[in-house]
Amino acid sequence: MRSLQINWYSLLKRAFLWSIFLGLGLYAAWPWLPGVGAKHPRAIVVYGFSILGEVMNQGIFPAFQAEWLARSGEKIEFVSSFSGSGTITNQIILGVPAQVAILSLELDALRLVDNHVLAGPTWHDLPYEGVLNRTPFIILVRSDNPKGIASFADLAQPGVEVVHPDPLTSGGAQWAILAEYGSVTLNGGSPEEAYAQLLGIWRNVVAQASSARAARTQFENGFGDALITYEQEAVWDLGRGKLNALIVYPESTILGEHTVVMIDKNISPAERDLVEAFVEFLWSETAQRIFVEYGFRSVDETLNAANPNFGVIAKPFTVKDLGGWVNARDEIINAIWKQKVLPEVGR
Amino acid sequence: MTERTLSHRQRAATLLPVSLLLLVLLPLLLMPLAAIYIFAGSGGWQTFVTSLSQPDAQFSLRFSLLIAFSTALLNAVLGTFAAYVLSKYRFRGREALSVIVNLPVAIPTVVVGTSLLLLWGPIGLLGKFLDPLGIQPMFAPAGVLLAHLFVTFPYMLGAVKPVLDELEVTYEEAAYTIGASRWQTFRFVLLPALRGGLFSGTLLTFAHSLGEFGATVLVSGNLRLRTQTAPLYIFAQFEAGNIEAANAVAAVLATLSFTLFFILLRMTQQPRRSAE
Amino acid sequence: MSIVLTDLTKWFDNNLVVNKVSLEVTDGELFVLLGGSGSGKSTILRLIAGLSIPSSGRIELNGRDVTFLPVQSRGVGFVFQNYSVFRHMTVGENIEFGLRIRKAHLKERRQRTEELLDLVGLAGLGARYAHQLSGGQQQRVALARALAYYPDVLLLDEPFGALDVKIRAQLRTSLKEIQRQLHVTTILVTHDQEEAFELADRIGVIERGHLIEVGAPQELYHHPCSEYVATFVGGGNVLIGREEQGFIRLGDARLPFPPGAPVHDPGSPVRILFRPETVSIQTEPFSEAQKIHILSQGQIVKRIFTGSSQRVLLEVENLEGMRPLASRPEYGQRVTHIEALQPSDASNALDRAWEPGSKLWIGLKQFHVLEPVSLKVLISSESAFTQESAAQFGCQVARTAGGNATVVSVVNSAAEAARRREDLETLRQSWISDLPHLETRVRQGDFNTEIVHEVQEGHYELVVLESHKGGLMPSSLGQQSTVRRLLAASEAAVLLVRKPHPRLERLLICTATGEPGKSDVLFGARIARRANIPTTVFHVLSPQASPVDRRRVERHLSQAQISLNGMGVENTIKIAEGPVMETIVGEIERGGYDLVVIGAPNLFISRPISRPDLAAQIINHAERPVLIVPMIQ
């Protein structure tokens, strides 16, 4: 009699356990079960640098899906990953199946060429030589700006805590370095003064994140007095009323230009038409308007008026003013920041 | 009277170390876990459900579970086999092999990911030759599975091998003399004896796979709706500042892990109790 | 015949664990294999069951050759010392496991299980698990499990070894009843004599893989053939005397050969066995009417009261021509100990007189004469025999030692083997009158390995090697030489011969190497006694030796003399001073010795000695045969 009871109990327990496991398994495998869900649609694999997450997922992808559906009647899917520009470049070099990559800076595209992912600077064949949109680099400070920060020079003052993305993985960080340096040299300052400013800012860096987006999260979590970041980040939040910080426009700063790259070896002939249509779509007025809406400055300057939140930059400059990307990388990022500033800061 | 004071003193004597332990555990373990639930619920039930029902959140959970199931299943077979060979056969290099097999516990998971990439990736030692054939295990579910098998292998082994080691040789031999074939001996004599170890090993593997991050982030390519596991999703969302989205999935993951852990605890205690 | 083993042999790596065991066990017999730990008894059982594969030999079960059959198809029941009851199965499931494997019907299984539970006395416990049973009960389950599928033979490996005494006795009785009832042929392995005597129809005594003797319990106890069985089975006193005009001379005592005793050569050693319970002791001399063989006078050393009886340890002055074997005396000790078992009768008038120290007369109610043995000699023969010193001298030694010799040749090819066989046959013929039992053998393979194997298989006590084959370099013995290997792998002494030496008339025992040896003296004495030749024990003291060293050596040598006298060997003791090598060689030249005995200290076996090795030097300088005796502690 006693043994019978025990059997019931253990049987129940076992049934319970199994049903938990079966339930979990069923839930997990549901979309892949035969007869559930439709046939897998064609997909475009897009890798983008960090701050593109929202504009692509919420703006560009649905817009293109709608347009493509209208044009051809086909439902398509986007598979995407957003991370630091350097990170995705590294991933692409290692072989992730990205078909379209939107990189923060042309330098990363050049690395793809160096590593034989691309045959050459193929993005030059795209509209605007592959530049999708622009973002100036600005300083974000706490709402009441207690440290009274108004320029890059102020960031070099002792006692200011700066959150900065990591130049090793973040494209935005490299742009930021150029802004911190170029804003001096291109406005009559000597290289020594520029170096002093760069060093001063980097002495004040209290947190480094792997991407501009991550740096922003850190700043929002309460780290630091100031963040050097894309204007888009701030403007987009400002537009939504979600910005609980203050944008400081330096008198002179760099206009970041973001590059679109098609990775031909990951595009099968069956998908080529779709991918090409998508890339073409990126420069369409529809797409560019979406970018502006999300805080990016369009390559078509006339569209920028649509966003009232863009601030005024007195003396903007681009990487061309610094002698192009290769030069900027070798002379500024490598020769000055990496070889002089970093060791000095580390000391 | 004396009795009471004594018990009082005794109670005080236990109270002190227990409260000290709690004092240590609270900020170390309990409060961070509580934070997940508090944050997940802070936006209200509606936000929680919306965050959780995002297609990519759903995908990441399902994908993680599937990978965990497959990992646990495959490693149950592989780990039992490895444990059987290492425990029952005497051969040259057995000691070395035992150490090597346990190595994945010792090396950081990020290193595991890197090493897998450098072997199977398109520019890796073997991947180099596979890539032209169109075989690409990395940045695909297969790569994630591979990484998880690698990382969790020792847990399965660690759960099964001691049980096998403890069984006397004569246990098997008795079955042979009775007339049981090797397979019958394994099926009817060894396997039932291993049941406990196998079960806890599988659960451990499952739980580890569910939470694996370091190796996965490297080998998966972190593709939404393709290879993004739940921990990767949490990390990505957290980095992007979508704390609600991250927390919703984190809460689900934590609950799952708690449940598994609870079952594991019950299971490992059960046989001991009945043996008394 | 239910179980027939033929020349069953098992090697584990380089150890011979089972050595040519042949045995027949009849239907329904309960056969007990009795032996110490490591004797190979369990291995034999495992070989029969198929849990281990023999290196050579044949196993038949019920007329079926099962030598290479897998375990599963042999149909044996096996019970292990540690029960090995399957823990996750109930008692009932354990028992019916064999039938389940054999796909028997549920009804049949249940019925058989009930039957067996009844048989082993566990009725009603079928639903229990192993951890709910005592050790004795678990072993009963194991027994029932092994019997469930009607096995042809039942094999029990120390089944009671893990149980306490009381349970053990109960289980023994049960086992015996069950075995009688089922009439299943059974082999039981044990190290416990009492168990063996109680259970066995027949007992096989096994030592170092060798099945030494088989017989019914009474037979083995009272009339064993071999010394090992005599001393291993039950407590026994074994004394060595000498044949003298048809009688056995034991010190002053002269005992008649009992009827049926094996024939002994005149003057050859005679070993007699008598059990403690057949020893009579009394204060006054025995009278004719008592029909007791008077042994000697002695005194009581110790009395141990064990309940129903008392053990009395007696001390007898070591008399010329008598040597105790069972309780070997300490080296250099004069006295012999004899054990007597007496009823512990409180009213025994003698009781008070039996205090330690009292003098008593010792007599034997009965005794048993063991088979005569001689030194087992292996002679290595590597070239045509006529020029060969080793074989010729070896045969000479073998003849002296009693004629128990084997000549072995190791060759590389089958063709060579045939040629060598002829050579050996010629050698055998030439010695046939002196050595009628000379055996010859040809082995193929590596010389070192084969010689070592032969020595281990044959239990030889002495190996004769030609010195160049012995690996003797001009000045030292190489690390890998045959000599070293033999000394390391066996307890055999090695005789190295370089040049033909025609005679064996004088023996020199050198105790100079390392610690003053004991086994070298005793082994030399054995040869000297058999050959009946005078012996010199020689020790070289270094000039720097302290008085303490000198006294130690003197003490050692006088002990050696006592031992030699005890064995009836004519002897001389010499101590010399000077450089070791030169002094020894000088002594050899002067004394005209035919054989030099030296001990092999442990360091000789384990590591190379820095100074050129003594044995090699003696051989090279004195050109006499050298006998190297391993030091056995």
Side-chain angles (χ1 to χ4, degrees):
Chain A
M1 199 54 210
R2 200 173 141 255
S3 69
L4 215 68
Q5 274 172 349
I6 287 172
N7 272 344
W8 272 114
Y9 175 66
S10 74
L11 213 70
L12 259 171
K13 202 175 64 185
R14 210 174 292 176
F16 176 67
L17 272 178
W18 277 113
S19 56
I20 285 183
F21 279 115
L22 274 176
L24 271 179
L26 201 68
Y27 160 72
W30 187 255
W32 288 273
L33 291 178
V36 180
K39 218 170 53 178
H40 257 293
R42 289 206 289 174
I44 305 174
V45 182
V46 179
Y47 272 66
F49 70 99
S50 62
I51 59 166
L52 283 171
E54 282 111 359
V55 68
M56 298 306 276
N57 281 325
Q58 295 167 19
I60 301 291
F61 292 162
F64 181 72
Q65 276 167 326
E67 189 182 309
W68 187 257
L69 186 67
R71 205 195 306 175
S72 66
E74 184 190 2
K75 270 191 178 172
I76 60 139
E77 206 178 55
F78 280 97
V79 171
S80 58
S81 180
F82 297 98
S83 203
S85 185
T87 306
I88 58 173
T89 307
N90 291 337
Q91 283 181 328
I92 292 169
I93 290 168
L94 279 172
V96 294
Q99 292 169 324
V100 177
I102 306 171
L103 304 169
S104 170
L105 59 168
E106 195 182 11
L107 200 55
D108 283 333
L110 287 168
R111 271 172 60 211
L112 292 180
V113 179
D114 291 343
N115 286 284
H116 312 291
V117 176
L118 299 176
T122 51
W123 61 91
H124 286 169
D125 303 337
L126 299 173
Y128 297 90
E129 294 199 318
V131 174
L132 178 62
N133 49 34
R134 301 198 174 97
T135 323
F137 273 72
I138 51 91
I139 304 166
L140 214 55
V141 296
R142 302 282 166 209
S143 307
D144 49 352
N145 198 2
K147 302 260 162 126
I149 292 159
S151 65
F152 286 128
D154 291 341
L155 293 181
Q157 299 304 317
V160 177
E161 294 187 338
V162 178
V163 176
H164 205 295
D166 185 355
L168 200 65
T169 51
S170 163
Q174 307 205 26
W175 285 118
I177 290 174
L178 295 189
E180 290 149 22
Y181 188 86
S183 62
V184 178
T185 54
L186 291 174
N187 292 292
S190 68
E192 288 72 30
E193 284 168 321
Y195 168 70
Q197 172 164 320
L198 193 59
L199 182 63
I201 294 173
W202 275 85
R203 277 196 199 283
N204 288 339
V205 170
V206 291
Q208 277 188 61
S210 64
S211 68
R213 177 35 69 82
R216 174 76 193 285
T217 307
Q218 279 184 347
F219 182 72
E220 291 204 328
N221 282 346
F223 281 94
D225 302 314
L227 168 75
I228 300 170
T229 190
Y230 297 97
E231 179 199 35
Q232 182 271 341
E233 286 267 318
V235 166
W236 163 236
D237 280 352
L238 190 63
R240 292 183 301 157
K242 278 196 164 185
L243 187 71
N244 41 20
L246 204 64
I247 307 175
V248 173
Y249 283 94
E251 193 190 17
S252 171
T253 189
I254 200 160
L255 271 174
E257 293 171 318
H258 311 309
T259 305
V260 175
V261 166
M262 276 173 75
I263 295 134
D264 287 322
K265 66 167 198 159
N266 290 337
I267 304 169
S268 70
E271 292 162 327
R272 182 158 287 277
D273 62 320
L274 183 62
V275 176
E276 278 177 351
F278 172 66
V279 170
E280 200 180 305
F281 173 77
L282 288 175
W283 277 279
S284 69
E285 200 185 319
T286 325
Q288 288 293 320
R289 275 189 190 283
I290 294 172
F291 282 126
V292 169
E293 183 195 336
Y294 278 81
F296 290 93
R297 298 195 182 199
S298 171
V299 283
D300 181 356
E301 309 258 349
T302 57
L303 300 175
N304 287 338
N307 195 328
N309 294 322
F310 288 137
V312 181
I313 298 159
K315 299 171 190 166
F317 59 93
T318 68
V319 74
K320 281 208 182 78
D321 300 319
L322 294 168
W325 255 118
V326 176
N327 195 47
R329 177 190 63 194
D330 294 346
E331 307 269 296
I332 301 172
I333 295 178
N334 285 348
I336 298 174
W337 178 75
K338 203 175 267 177
Q339 287 176 16
K340 286 194 191 157
V341 174
L342 258 195
E344 188 66 29
V345 170
R347 203 161 292 148
Chain B
M1 190 60 195
T2 47
E3 213 170 80
R4 240 184 99 183
T5 50
L6 194 78
S7 77
H8 213 78
R9 209 186 287 166
Q10 269 177 338
R11 212 182 307 153
T14 46
L15 207 66
L16 191 68
V18 168
S19 47
L20 265 175
L21 181 67
L22 274 177
L23 219 65
V24 175
L25 289 185
L26 218 62
L28 207 64
L29 298 175
L30 300 176
M31 277 159 64
L33 288 174
I36 291 177
Y37 289 102
I38 291 167
F39 262 88
S42 66
W45 180 248
Q46 200 54 47
T47 325
F48 180 78
V49 171
T50 322
S51 311
L52 211 55
S53 55
Q54 292 300 310
D56 40 359
Q58 281 293 309
F59 173 88
S60 71
L61 274 173
R62 290 195 159 113
F63 184 63
S64 267
L65 281 170
L66 269 190
I67 289 288
F69 272 119
S70 325
T71 306
L73 213 70
L74 278 171
N75 260 352
V77 177
L78 280 175
T80 308
F81 176 70
Y84 185 79
V85 171
L86 284 175
S87 164
K88 297 295 169 198
Y89 292 83
R90 293 285 170 274
F91 52 91
R92 190 191 290 256
R94 193 178 70 99
E95 299 291 313
L97 205 62
S98 308
V99 173
I100 290 170
V101 155
N102 276 308
L103 218 54
V105 195
I107 42 180
T109 49
V110 179
V111 178
V112 173
T114 319
S115 60
L116 281 174
L117 274 185
L118 293 179
L119 182 66
W120 294 107
I123 57 164
L125 294 177
L126 285 177
K128 212 163 32 188
F129 304 104
L130 293 177
D131 200 38
L133 306 173
I135 303 170
Q136 170 58 281
M138 288 298 114
F139 312 118
V144 179
L145 186 62
L146 215 60
H148 285 216
L149 285 177
F150 192 107
V151 170
T152 58
F153 190 75
Y155 297 106
M156 197 67 218
L157 197 72
V160 174
K161 191 164 170 285
V163 187
L164 271 177
D165 284 342
E166 235 177 73
L167 284 184
E168 309 91 7
V169 194
T170 55
Y171 208 68
E172 266 171 276
E173 288 180 343
Y176 294 149
T177 56
I178 289 166
S181 65
R182 234 166 211 273
W183 166 246
Q184 282 170 325
T185 303
F186 181 77
R187 171 70 192 77
F188 297 121
V189 176
L190 288 185
L191 204 58
L194 286 183
R195 209 165 41 187
L198 213 56
F199 192 81
S200 59
T202 311
L203 277 189
L204 248 146
T205 307
F206 189 87
H208 267 273
S209 169
L210 212 54
E212 212 305 313
F213 181 81
T216 321
V217 74
L218 283 171
V219 301
S220 71
N222 196 15
L223 270 174
R224 283 172 66 242
L225 300 173
R226 277 281 170 86
T227 58
Q228 197 173 47
T229 61
L232 293 191
Y233 177 84
I234 295 169
F235 184 71
Q237 292 300 326
F238 194 83
E239 260 212 335
N242 300 329
I243 298 178
E244 296 93 0
N247 264 325
V249 175
V252 172
L253 211 58
T255 310
L256 265 174
S257 302
F258 281 150
T259 316
L260 287 179
F261 188 69
F262 182 70
I263 295 173
L264 192 71
L265 216 64
R266 286 295 301 268
M267 279 293 148
T268 44
Q269 276 173 352
Q270 209 99 72
R272 230 170 282 156
R273 212 176 300 149
S274 71
E276 271 161 19
Chain C
M1 288 294 162
S2 262
I3 305 172
V4 180
L5 309 180
T6 316
D7 284 341
L8 200 60
T9 301
K10 177 70 181 174
W11 287 90
F12 277 135
D13 296 327
N14 263 330
N15 293 316
L16 184 58
V17 186
V18 176
N19 189 355
K20 288 191 182 159
V21 168
S22 296
L23 176 68
E24 293 183 355
V25 181
T26 48
D27 284 340
E29 186 176 2
L30 203 170
F31 188 90
V32 173
L33 272 176
L34 177 64
S37 62
S39 60
K41 54 190 191 306
S42 289
T43 307
I44 295 177
L45 213 61
R46 294 172 60 81
L47 287 172
I48 298 172
L51 293 171
S52 191
I53 302 295
S55 306
S56 64
R58 199 177 134 88
I59 303 164
E60 267 177 49
L61 298 180
N62 278 345
R64 189 165 62 122
D65 183 351
V66 300
T67 315
F68 297 106
L69 232 54
V71 206
Q72 289 87 354
S73 35
R74 293 199 185 191
V76 298
F78 204 108
V79 175
F80 296 88
Q81 179 174 5
N82 60 5
Y83 331 130
S84 291
V85 173
F86 303 140
R87 273 166 248 168
H88 59 277
M89 295 186 195
T90 61
V91 168
E93 285 166 348
N94 260 285
I95 295 175
E96 65 171 22
F97 185 60
L99 296 172
R100 219 169 104 205
I101 293 293
R102 287 168 178 75
K103 304 210 161 41
H105 287 298
L106 184 71
K107 212 177 128 199
E108 186 195 334
R109 270 156 43 188
R110 287 289 133 85
Q111 195 188 334
R112 179 73 177 151
T113 305
E114 289 305 316
E115 214 175 282
L116 281 164
L117 281 171
D118 256 359
L119 185 73
V120 298
L122 292 177
L125 300 184
R128 294 229 180 143
Y129 283 93
H131 61 80
Q132 297 167 309
L133 299 178
S134 71
Q137 286 173 321
Q138 287 194 50
Q139 197 58 296
R140 284 170 192 268
V141 175
L143 182 63
R145 185 177 66 181
L147 289 169
Y149 44 94
Y150 307 97
D152 291 338
V153 297
L154 181 62
L155 306 172
L156 305 137
D157 189 2
E158 300 251 15
F160 314 128
L163 300 169
D164 60 50
V165 181
K166 206 175 144 197
I167 308 285
R168 207 182 289 191
Q170 286 173 7
L171 257 171
R172 249 186 240 164
T173 319
S174 302
L175 174 68
K176 184 124 185 163
E177 277 169 17
I178 291 167
Q179 200 270 341
R180 291 282 176 278
Q181 201 178 328
L182 301 181
H183 205 67
V184 57
T185 311
T186 303
I187 296 183
L188 182 143
V189 156
T190 184
H191 65 275
D192 183 338
Q193 296 166 22
E194 202 186 317
E195 193 170 299
F197 282 123
E198 186 179 330
L199 290 172
D201 293 324
R202 281 192 306 155
I203 296 175
V205 178
I206 189 149
E207 192 225 353
R208 284 197 269 166
H210 222 81
L211 187 61
I212 295 180
E213 228 175 305
V214 175
Q218 292 88 340
E219 193 61 26
L220 278 189
Y221 188 74
H222 291 298
H223 306 289
C225 298
S226 65
E227 187 185 308
Y228 180 82
V229 175
T231 51
F232 181 76
V233 175
N237 302 293
V238 178
L239 298 177
I240 299 190
R242 190 172 284 280
E243 197 277 350
E244 195 183 273
Q245 292 155 3
F247 283 87
I248 305 162
R249 162 67 67 192
L250 269 172
D252 288 338
R254 228 164 83 110
L255 307 177
F257 276 100
V263 181
H264 281 68
D265 293 334
S268 69
V270 180
R271 298 171 305 160
I272 68 159
L273 160 74
F274 51 95
R275 298 291 176 189
E277 58 271 25
T278 62
V279 177
S280 292
I281 40 180
Q282 56 185 52
T283 35
E284 59 273 5
F286 294 98
S287 68
E288 274 297 307
Q290 278 176 293
K291 299 229 162 123
I292 274 180
H293 307 289
I294 303 153
L295 191 66
S296 169
Q297 236 186 329
Q299 61 178 354
I300 292 176
V301 185
K302 231 192 302 189
R303 221 155 52 112
I304 301 155
F305 179 72
T306 60
S308 59
S309 56
Q310 50 185 341
R311 281 168 56 209
V312 182
L313 195 63
L314 298 154
E315 197 176 85
V316 183
E317 289 287 302
N318 195 3
L319 301 162
E320 292 284 316
M322 180 173 106
R323 192 161 67 96
L325 204 74
S327 54
R328 288 172 200 274
E330 302 267 311
Y331 183 78
Q333 177 194 298
R334 280 167 186 280
V335 291
T336 300
H337 286 140
I338 288 173
E339 201 182 303
L341 198 67
Q342 302 294 322
S344 66
D345 184 357
S347 66
N348 195 328
L350 289 172
D351 213 37
R352 243 166 298 115
W354 286 14
E355 290 308 318
S358 38
K359 282 251 177 196
L360 291 168
W361 285 93
I362 304 167
L364 305 177
K365 284 178 215 146
Q366 61 182 53
F367 62 91
H368 171 67
V369 178
L370 301 180
E371 296 283 339
V373 290
S374 55
L375 208 59
K376 269 192 101 175
V377 184
L378 180 71
I379 302 157
S380 146
S381 163
E382 298 314 314
S383 48
F385 75 94
T386 38
Q387 299 90 37
E388 211 178 340
S389 40
Q392 295 292 344
F393 190 77
C395 288
Q396 203 173 328
V397 173
R399 186 194 55 189
T400 314
N404 191 349
T406 303
V407 183
V408 68
S409 244
V410 180
V411 297
N412 296 319
S413 66
E416 209 185 325
R419 210 165 50 244
R420 288 302 290 145
R421 239 174 232 119
E422 283 172 30
D423 289 345
L424 291 184
E425 182 56 25
T426 324
L427 176 72
R428 201 177 73 80
Q429 290 299 331
S430 73
W431 279 90
I432 197 135
S433 56
D434 286 324
L435 292 169
H437 304 303
L438 185 68
E439 284 183 41
T440 63
R441 193 159 302 155
V442 174
R443 294 181 75 113
Q444 200 174 323
D446 170 60
F447 178 79
N448 281 343
T449 316
E450 294 302 316
I451 285 285
V452 171
H453 280 191
E454 180 67 32
V455 171
Q456 287 182 334
E457 285 173 11
H459 282 296
Y460 296 98
E461 293 165 277
L462 176 61
V463 184
V464 185
L465 291 176
E466 200 163 2
S467 63
H468 72 268
K469 270 292 178 192
L472 281 176
M473 296 299 109
S475 61
S476 75
L477 289 171
Q479 182 68 40
Q480 292 307 315
S481 69
T482 316
V483 179
R484 278 179 196 279
R485 287 191 183 201
L486 278 174
L487 292 173
S490 71
E491 289 182 358
V494 180
L495 177 58
L496 292 169
V497 185
R498 189 175 188 199
K499 275 191 168 176
H501 197 84
R503 46 174 211 281
L504 182 54
E505 287 167 8
R506 290 174 73 84
L507 187 73
L508 179 70
I509 301 173
C510 293
T511 62
T513 36
E515 280 287 295
K518 294 172 186 174
S519 47
D520 48 356
V521 173
L522 290 176
F523 199 91
R526 262 177 94 182
I527 292 183
R529 187 185 61 181
R530 286 173 198 280
N532 207 8
I533 56 173
T535 297
T536 303
V537 181
F538 187 62
H539 193 97
V540 183
L541 262 180
S542 95
Q544 294 91 37
S546 67
V548 178
D549 286 338
R550 177 175 284 273
R551 270 200 299 283
R552 191 166 52 89
V553 168
E554 278 168 0
R555 195 167 58 243
H556 168 67
L557 288 180
S558 74
Q559 284 171 348
Q561 188 157 35
I562 292 167
S563 293
L564 287 169
N565 286 341
M567 292 167 77
V569 175
E570 183 191 334
N571 60 75
T572 317
I573 302 295
K574 279 191 183 172
I575 299 181
E577 251 180 46
V580 176
M581 237 331 284
E582 288 77 1
T583 316
I584 288 179
V585 172
E587 174 65 23
I588 293 170
E589 295 296 333
R590 218 175 9 259
Y593 300 102
D594 303 308
L595 179 60
V596 182
V597 180
I598 61 171
N602 289 336
L603 80 162
F604 177 85
I605 297 165
S606 58
R607 53 189 141 92
I609 318 170
S610 54
R611 68 188 162 85
D613 191 69
L614 194 63
Q617 288 204 17
I618 292 173
I619 290 193
N620 290 329
H621 286 96
E623 303 191 333
R624 296 296 146 86
V626 174
L627 178 63
I628 304 169
V629 182
M631 297 300 215
I632 300 152
Q633 301 309 316

